[in-house]
Each structure stands twice: as structure tokens, then as C-alpha cells.
Amino acid sequence: MNFDQEAFPGETIGSPQNISWRNPEIKAELPGEDFLSGTARFPLDKILSIEMKQLNITKKRKSGKPPISAFSSTLMEKPKRGRPTWIPDNYLLGRRNEWTSLLEECWPEIGWHLLQIRKNPTTTIDDVRKAFQRVKEKPHNPGLAQAFYRETFETATPIEVHRNRVRGGELQGEILRLQTKVTEIERSKNELNPLLKTAAPEYRTTVQEEIRRRQETLDQLQSEINRLTIEGRDLDKKSLDQETYVYSSELLDYLRSRGRYAVNPQSVANALAGLPRMAWRQSHLRCSRMPLNEPRLHYQVLEVISKMWKRRRGASKEALTEFFKIQLPKLPKKLGYTRDFLLGNFRDLRLAIEESLGTKHEDGEAPYLLTSIFMRNTRNQKSPLEAMLAEQEKIL
């Protein structure tokens, strides 16, 4: 190609020395450049490739839109569609698994009540919070559901809770920054105190004035720290009250939704995992794609007892005890430890049957109540006599 006859886009014919887009003072070569006698030489296939790419992008560009560089389409990552999120998948998965474990262990106590909330269109967030009071009493409760226990709440949206939490973090950062500054000024002020005794008389007034000035600065900083501390404390209480509302109202909305959303520990955990920083629908959508762990023992025992309860014959203590004693050995061995657990703790199950029959409860609640009492019995410390009796009543 003759550079005197043909120019690149943006180049003036007759000035072949200025064809590069780079600073002419830079003498290093780039791939495709050759600085020979002050003239840069480009491979013909590279030139044609760039020009064709520019031409294609120009044709596709809509009217009124700014031009796009031929290189930008290959080097810049295209933005992802959808609403941006500030909760990473690994954090969401961890929260979902924590909620699943807690709900599976507490499902005998709260599962029935959550199902009743779904059936009753007049229920409120107070009913949701009341249902979770039973979680608070469980010995294995890690505090994950503490937002449901607060006595006060304030109407808010997940985005408002997020903004307040961000602001709370900013306040804590500002307080730490000011406290560091206070420490530095206090140190510098203390270093000046000995000078009052050793400095010449003509400098003592200057030293005293500097000490006074630094003390005023310390007073101002401490006043600002106190103001930020009060603001942070008020904001923290406000955020906790707002979280209580978000958790309760979002779960109530989930329970009232009909159709594909089931009321079981796994599905409810999917809805709760992203709270209070995202709505339950977005949380459920993201978490439902994540793998689940093996259900915990409490929930598996409840499922077995619920299925057997539907096939029972007779409602007396003797009839129910005999029914379970005959049917438990017939459970499929694929249930593994759950089957062995029920067979090995039959005395605790028998005592649970007797206690549940004497407890007032709603129709349909019996399997939940029976499972709850049974699991409590297995946790209780047994005396030597009770341990011997339990060993004798094992179903082999």
C-alpha cells in the first residue's frame, strides 16, 4: 500500500508520519507496528479487519446514539440484564441452609401453625410472630429468627432496611476515624505539657495557647463522636424494628401466596434466606436453584409419623400403641437412621402417644404434637431405671 495515495480513517493524506493513534514520542513498538524511518507500517489484513468492524458497528448503531469503537465491542463486558443484587450466591446459600436446618428441627412445633396462617385470609403479622415464639423456646435455636421476637416493629421495605444498615456502617466507620484522631491529638497535647516547665518564659504563653487550642479540638471531636453515637444507636433500633416488620410481613405474604409455593421447611427457608435485604420472591427464585442438604432427623420423623397417622385404626391409647408397634418394623430400610431411631426409642414414642392424647389440640395437629413430644422425650436425660426400661421396649 502506498501511504502517499491512501489514508486511514481520521488521517490527512500527505502526513504519513502521524498515522498512529499513539503519542509520537513513544518509540516502543506494538504488535503490527514497525518504526522504520519515522513511518509506521500496518499489516493489510489487520487494517481491513478494523475498517470492516467499524463499518458493521456503524450500520447497527441507532440514530442519535454515540459511535462505538471497533475495539470496545470485544474488550468491554456487556452488562447483565435484570435487577442488580448486593447479596452474593455463596452468602445466600449459607443463610438458606441455616434457615432450613432451624425450620426442620422446629417444624413439629411451628409447621401446623404456619399452615393455618395460609388457610386463614384474615391472619396478620402478629400471627406469624406468635408462631415463631415456639422457635425461641427451642434449645437448639441459634438466634437466627430473633427478628420475629421483638415486641415493636416499624413499617419498612427491604431496600429501606438495606439503606439504614449501610448508613449504620458508615456511622461506625466515621466514629472510628474520629476516635483515631482524638487519640493522636491527645498524645500530641500530652507531649506539650512538660514544655510548660522547661520552656523559656517567652514561649510559655505560646505553649499554653497551643494546649488550649488542641483541647478545644478534642472537645469538638468528642461532641461529634457523641452525636454520631446517639444517631447510630437510634438508627440501630430503627433498623431492628424495621427488620421485624420485613421478616413478618414478607413471610405472611409468602404464606398467603397460593399455587407453586409449598409450606415446608425447604421452601420457607428459600423465601427467608435473602431477608431483610431483598423481598421473598427474589430470595425464593435464587435459592430454589441451589442444591439442598439431606433433611434433618426431626423433619424426617415428622413425615414418617404423619404418614402412619393417616393409616391408623382406632383412637385409644392401646390401639395407637399397638398400631405403631406393628407398623414401625415394616418401614422401608432405605429410611436408614430415621427407621432405626424410631425402633430404638419406642418407649419414648409410647409415652408421647399417651401424653398427646391427653393434650388439647386441633384436628390435624396430632402428628405435629406427637412428634414434638417424642423428640423432647428422646432428648431428656434418663435415670438408670428409665434407661433400662427403654432398652427393654426397643423393637428389634
Side-chain angles (χ1 to χ4, degrees):
M1 177 179 289
N2 187 346
F3 290 106
D4 293 330
Q5 300 301 325
E6 187 172 350
F8 293 109
E11 175 191 357
T12 303
I13 298 179
S15 56
Q17 292 82 1
N18 296 325
I19 62 174
S20 175
W21 62 86
R22 300 169 65 247
N23 191 323
E25 295 180 359
I26 299 176
K27 299 303 182 181
E29 296 183 13
L30 295 176
E33 275 187 349
D34 183 19
F35 289 93
L36 297 175
S37 303
T39 303
R41 304 180 184 277
F42 289 78
L44 181 58
D45 58 343
K46 183 68 175 179
I47 296 170
L48 294 177
S49 174
I50 294 174
E51 290 183 340
M52 290 300 297
K53 187 173 291 187
Q54 287 178 327
L55 181 60
N56 290 335
I57 293 176
T58 301
K59 289 181 178 179
K60 294 178 181 179
R61 179 168 57 89
K62 296 181 179 180
S63 176
K65 296 291 183 180
I68 304 174
S69 168
F71 296 103
S72 64
S73 62
T74 57
L75 297 180
M76 292 181 63
E77 183 181 358
K78 295 181 179 180
K80 297 180 181 180
R81 299 181 62 185
R83 180 183 301 176
T85 179
W86 48 80
I87 304 181
D89 283 344
N90 57 351
Y91 175 83
L92 200 59
L93 175 61
R95 291 280 291 185
R96 196 283 306 275
N97 290 343
E98 290 177 355
W99 271 112
T100 302
S101 297
L102 177 62
L103 291 173
E104 286 177 346
E105 292 189 8
C106 299
W107 206 250
E109 288 74 33
I110 68 173
W112 169 257
H113 301 281
L114 296 182
L115 286 169
Q116 300 315 297
I117 292 175
R118 159 160 285 190
K119 294 178 181 178
N120 188 352
T122 63
T123 50
T124 65
I125 62 175
D126 289 332
D127 297 303
V128 175
R129 296 166 64 200
K130 184 178 179 180
F132 270 85
Q133 287 296 320
R134 298 170 178 85
V135 180
K136 184 178 181 181
E137 301 165 358
K138 300 295 290 184
H140 49 256
N141 177 22
L144 186 64
Q146 60 185 355
F148 290 101
Y149 312 148
R150 290 183 62 82
E151 296 180 358
T152 59
F153 62 86
E154 179 178 328
T155 305
T157 62
I159 190 63
E160 290 174 337
V161 172
H162 175 68
R163 287 171 180 170
N164 286 337
R165 283 304 182 188
V166 171
R167 174 56 182 162
E170 292 173 349
L171 289 175
Q172 291 301 317
E174 183 65 14
I175 290 173
L176 290 176
R177 187 187 69 81
L178 293 177
Q179 287 175 340
T180 301
K181 198 169 183 179
V182 165
T183 302
E184 294 175 354
I185 296 177
E186 282 181 340
R187 183 175 61 251
S188 65
K189 173 177 170 287
N190 293 334
E191 291 173 352
L192 293 178
N193 289 330
L195 293 179
L196 291 174
K197 299 179 180 180
T198 60
E202 62 269 22
Y203 295 114
R204 288 178 184 173
T205 302
T206 303
V207 173
Q208 289 176 342
E209 180 62 24
E210 181 61 23
I211 292 176
R212 185 193 63 78
R213 187 183 67 80
R214 295 186 184 186
Q215 184 59 50
E216 287 182 354
T217 302
L218 286 174
D219 294 340
Q220 292 174 358
L221 290 174
Q222 190 58 54
S223 177
E224 181 65 10
I225 290 174
N226 294 339
R227 184 188 68 81
L228 294 177
T229 301
I230 294 174
E231 181 182 350
R233 185 168 57 246
D234 294 341
L235 185 60
D236 185 61
K237 181 183 181 304
K238 181 184 184 70
S239 298
L240 290 174
D241 288 343
Q242 288 179 338
E243 287 180 5
T244 296
Y245 177 82
V246 168
Y247 270 100
S248 303
S249 61
E250 289 289 317
L251 181 55
L252 178 63
D253 187 60
Y254 169 81
L255 294 173
R256 285 179 173 176
S257 64
R258 300 297 180 93
R260 56 181 179 175
Y261 301 109
V263 180
N264 57 49
Q266 298 84 6
S267 188
V268 173
N270 286 340
L272 292 175
L275 300 180
R277 292 187 288 172
M278 67 169 59
W280 73 263
R281 291 183 184 276
Q282 185 183 7
S283 175
H284 193 282
L285 177 63
R286 291 179 60 184
C287 290
S288 60
R289 303 166 182 168
M290 300 176 181
L292 286 167
N293 296 328
E294 187 72 16
R296 297 182 71 86
L297 178 64
H298 296 68
Y299 186 62
Q300 292 194 53
V301 169
L302 173 60
E303 286 191 310
V304 171
I305 290 179
S306 296
K307 291 178 181 178
M308 295 182 65
W309 188 263
K310 295 177 181 179
R311 306 199 311 266
R312 73 191 186 284
R313 293 186 179 89
S316 66
K317 176 184 67 176
E318 293 76 13
L320 287 173
T321 301
E322 187 64 20
F323 170 77
F324 276 96
K325 190 173 184 178
I326 294 174
Q327 295 299 321
L328 284 177
K330 298 180 181 179
L331 291 174
K333 293 185 178 181
K334 67 179 181 179
L335 289 175
Y337 180 71
T338 303
R339 179 179 184 274
D340 297 338
F341 184 81
L342 287 162
L343 294 175
N345 294 278
F346 182 74
R347 184 172 189 273
D348 289 330
L349 180 60
R350 177 179 63 79
L351 295 176
I353 292 173
E354 296 176 3
E355 183 177 345
S356 63
L357 290 178
T359 303
K360 186 178 180 180
H361 54 270
E362 300 180 29
D363 294 338
E365 189 182 359
Y368 294 87
L369 179 61
L370 174 58
T371 304
S372 178
I373 298 174
F374 169 58
M375 298 305 294
R376 183 204 64 196
N377 290 347
T378 61
R379 290 194 306 268
N380 290 342
Q381 185 70 30
K382 292 180 174 57
S383 67
L385 176 61
E386 291 172 333
M388 182 194 70
L389 296 174
E391 186 69 24
Q392 291 178 349
E393 290 195 46
K394 282 184 178 180
I395 301 178
L396 303 177

